[in-house]
Amino acid sequence: MEPVFGKKESDKPYKARYGAYVVVSRNEGQEVILVQAPNGAYFLPGGEIEGTENHVEAINREMLEELGFEVTVGAYLGEAVEYFYSSHRDTYFYHPGYFYVVDSWEKVAEPTEKTNNLAWVTADEAMLLLKRGSHRWAVQKWMKKSN
């Protein structure tokens, strides 16, 4: 049974939005990278799975868009569901997220998305900064695996 975050309001229509996200670390796991959206919210790198993409294809595309990184996707941390309302899109979302660890990465270009900020932070800082409970859950699982 996957963990569920957020509250599903019974009288609201929800749009399904499937996503794939990763924990990318450096300095022997001492820091992880977060993506700060234009609204100030922090997220793990990754995003919506588009069209017929599988998880790894979506991750590879998102890493170039958000970080300018080519990555090697490693261990699967698991799935977590999030229910949330996006005021930006005026939409309620049912959002299953699939979370992975990146085994290695290389910066190959500047990110193609220019509106985000990137921040290398400790795992403890990430727990305080991350907006979504599912993203905090994934960092906790990663921390347990890397100890």
Side-chain angles (χ1 to χ4, degrees):
M1 184 86 179
E2 73 272 349
V4 177
F5 298 90
K7 182 177 185 293
K8 182 178 182 186
E9 299 185 42
S10 59
D11 60 335
K12 303 295 183 200
Y14 282 81
K15 180 180 178 187
R17 183 178 190 267
Y18 297 84
Y21 300 90
V22 291
V23 176
V24 178
S25 65
R26 71 176 185 186
N27 295 338
E28 298 172 0
Q30 296 301 305
E31 295 177 308
V32 297
I33 196 167
L34 302 182
V35 176
Q36 184 183 29
N39 68 1
Y42 287 90
F43 302 95
L44 287 174
E48 186 172 10
I49 299 168
E50 297 178 356
T52 60
E53 287 179 327
N54 64 35
H55 297 180
V56 172
E57 290 167 339
I59 289 166
N60 286 335
R61 177 184 46 76
E62 289 284 348
M63 295 309 97
L64 287 169
E65 290 175 359
E66 294 181 346
L67 308 177
F69 289 6
E70 286 184 351
V71 302
T72 303
V73 177
Y76 179 57
L77 294 170
E79 175 186 353
V81 169
E82 188 107 28
Y83 289 95
F84 66 92
Y85 173 73
S86 168
S87 56
H88 175 69
R89 294 183 174 96
D90 191 24
T91 303
Y92 288 86
F93 285 102
Y94 160 72
H95 186 55
Y98 306 96
F99 296 88
Y100 292 83
V101 175
V102 162
D103 285 343
S104 63
W105 57 269
E106 180 183 1
K107 184 171 176 76
V108 296
E110 289 304 310
T112 59
E113 291 179 356
K114 305 294 186 198
T115 56
N116 298 321
N117 291 311
L118 304 175
W120 287 101
V121 301
T122 66
D124 288 340
E125 289 170 322
M127 295 301 293
L128 297 172
L129 290 170
L130 286 165
K131 179 175 184 174
R132 302 243 178 270
S134 58
H135 291 219
R136 292 189 299 274
W137 168 84
V139 170
Q140 286 177 318
K141 287 204 67 168
W142 170 75
M143 287 168 42
K144 288 178 185 167
K145 278 186 182 281
S146 57
N147 285 341

